[in-house]
Amino acid sequence: MLILHYLGLDHIGHISGPNSPLIGRKLSEMDSVLMKIHTALLSKEREMALPNLLVLCGDHGMSETGSHGASSMEEVNTPLILISSAFQRKLGDIRHATRVQQTDVAATLAIALGLPIPKDSVGSLLFPVVEGKPMREQLRFLHLNTVQLSKLLQENVPSYEKDPGFEQFKMSERLHGNWIRLYLEEKHSEVLLNLGSKVLRQYLDALKTLSLSLSTQVAQYDMYSMMVGTVVVLEVLTLLLLSIPQALHRKAELEVPLSSPGFSLLFYLVILVLSAIHVIVCTSAESSCYFCGLSWLAAGGVMVLASVLLCVIVSVLTNVLVGGRPQRKKPIHPSSRWSELDLLILLGTVGHVLSLGASSFVEEEHQTWYFLVNTLCLALSQETYRNYFLGDDSEPQCGLHVEQGLDRVAAAWQGGPGCDVLERGKGHGSPSPSEVHQGSKKWMVLASPWLILACCRLLRSLNQTGVQWAHRPDLGHWLTSSDHKAELSVLAAVSLLVVFVLVQRGCSPVSKAALALGLLGVYCYRAAIGSVRFPWQQDSKDISKGIIEARFVYVFVLGILFTGTKDLLKSQVVAADFKIKTVGLWEIYSGLVLLAALLFRPHNLPVLAFSLLIQTLMTKFIWKPLRHDAAEITVMHYWFGQAFFYFQGNSNNIATVDISAGFVGLDTYVEIPAVFLTAFGTYAGPLLWASHLVHFLSSETHSSSALSHACFCYAMICSIPVSTYIVLVTSLRYHLFIWSVFSPKLLYEGMHLLITAAVCVFFTAMDQTRLTQS
């Protein structure tokens, strides 16, 4: 047996998709390889007693983005061709292709080679392979397959005797026995032929029913491990919720009482109870359990963590209920009230969390985020009109901007919290908007929400995503077709130019030059692989993998990131210079933008350009003039980051993961760089908005707690839907769409949580820098 696995088509698809000019060349090359193998087999067959079998198949298909791993028709439909001289075909006998299951290949090859069918195989024999054999051999092959499937059914289904497939199998065996008795008595008769055909049909029906029953059996869930993980997640979420008043206080001091619960009697009692439960469950579990398979050291660490979290929660609740109400240092502002923006943030967050319980809302989650950012733009427009046309020239109120919104509930914890408004300049005065903004700038403030709304509407038309409307044509399909390569080239070039203009303003001269050369290298890379072209370049000429061009860009990405990191370290260790720190943060942000430009496909470069444009408009004409606090700005960044995740063409379907990013600049598949590049390319929207948030709060606010408030709000607004979704998925584990809808979404949420943790670490590091300087 010789197994040949050719990866050329797969690699090309990952790099540039199924419409790449390289696909045709590779298919012609594979055709010649197949012809060479087939010719060699035919020449050797005269010397062999048995015929050869050549199996041509694909292990998976390819989506329109060059990815695979999900359940779309383009990914699961693959060809299967069996070529052998053992198959007798009459001249002019034309057969139409039929659909079979990929699991049928293992059973068919095992029977053809005279080997036992794999014990856990749920496939059935492909009957056209053996239909040229005598009736007795056909029935024997089918009987072997049905016996194997019936045994597998008995092992996995308690009430297997009532299964329709098992009943059909027993009926087939009885008829098969009658046929054998008749065959021994009279080998050639009309009755024998008719009975054999009936047994054959009965076996095929039984195979089909048994295979379907086994394929759709409910999986065995590891409930113990699921419950342990869910309990720990809910404990962390509860602690975060109880810590809101302290975390969002003006000083942003969060004290977690670990010492007293760590040595309390409750802690040891909980450890004892959890250990007893662990021993009982693991010794009585009939099926395998992941948590029981861990070493006692690892399992004990998880139990200690759960016990500590429970004791901390009890300690915090005790302080709240028994500690009394301390005197306020400062009374709450008498006019504090819920603003429209606060209500939108609250209702939007709650509504999004509740929508995760419905499969349709999970499939079309992009619609939820599009609705939220559009509504946010309308709310900001109403706020600007009220400030400029209704004569609201008073001191901007924080309303109940998250921290004050919880002040009534948090009165027992802390004094009145302050508002992290954006201070314009170093003066203590607060000029009214009508005094500061005049002329065109005033009208830009009024028009900015509508410009952002228009940008979002254009981006929605770029990539159709989700399930229900994913098949509809969009601008992305139009641009990526071979007939519109000139238009795509112009759009990509303009987008890269816009990116440079918007990003270079905060960079040092050296970083500006590196950014310009890097963006030029991005276009050269896409031209090298044939996605775009230069005016003097002809189609399908001089197309390569673009390895040199991509690595050329990586050099400038690393250079800009190194320069920004150097400035951050200099501002923290050598000289406490606020300006150097601001430049360093912007250069890190610029390096990430350049990396995103390299990893994005050309038709998605406008997504990056519009993202930077919206950030610029929000910074100059929304957040500064209206002086929103850190919590509100954090929520806005999070919402727009989520919206841009879907503007890229992503969804909650694994098929939309653009794994071509993991192959940019790599000659072969290298696991660790591919993982990081694919993750960044997928979550570039949330990451770029989060890094912009760090720079904005570090450069525009003079409050020492702004970054702390933002970090806590960012972690909170991400952890609430994740924790809720874990509970929902556990309760819906028997849902019809658990594997096709809810499970992929859980994988996305898990990866998003890891990225959020990395963002919060970066927030904390920048906050420590500020504390060190102060």
Side-chain angles (χ1 to χ4, degrees), residues 3 26 100 116 121 139 184 197 213 243 261 292 367 400 441 446 496 557 631-632 636 644 657 714 748 761:
I3 300 176
K26 180 56 68 173
V100 298
S121 171
L139 295 179
L184 294 175
S197 300
S213 299
S243 304
C292 294
Q367 301 285 2
L400 287 170
K441 193 169 185 179
L446 297 174
L496 292 175
V557 171
E632 283 184 341
M636 292 184 206
F644 273 89
V657 177
Y714 200 88
Y748 274 105
V761 169

Side-chain angles (χ1 to χ4, degrees), residues 572-604:
Q572 181 178 4
V573 179
V574 180
D577 192 333
F578 177 75
K579 184 177 180 181
I580 294 179
K581 177 188 174 183
T582 302
V583 174
L585 285 173
W586 185 262
E587 288 181 337
I588 290 179
Y589 171 72
S590 304
L592 296 179
V593 170
L594 179 57
L595 180 60
L598 175 63
L599 301 182
F600 276 19
R601 293 183 184 269
H603 76 278
N604 265 340

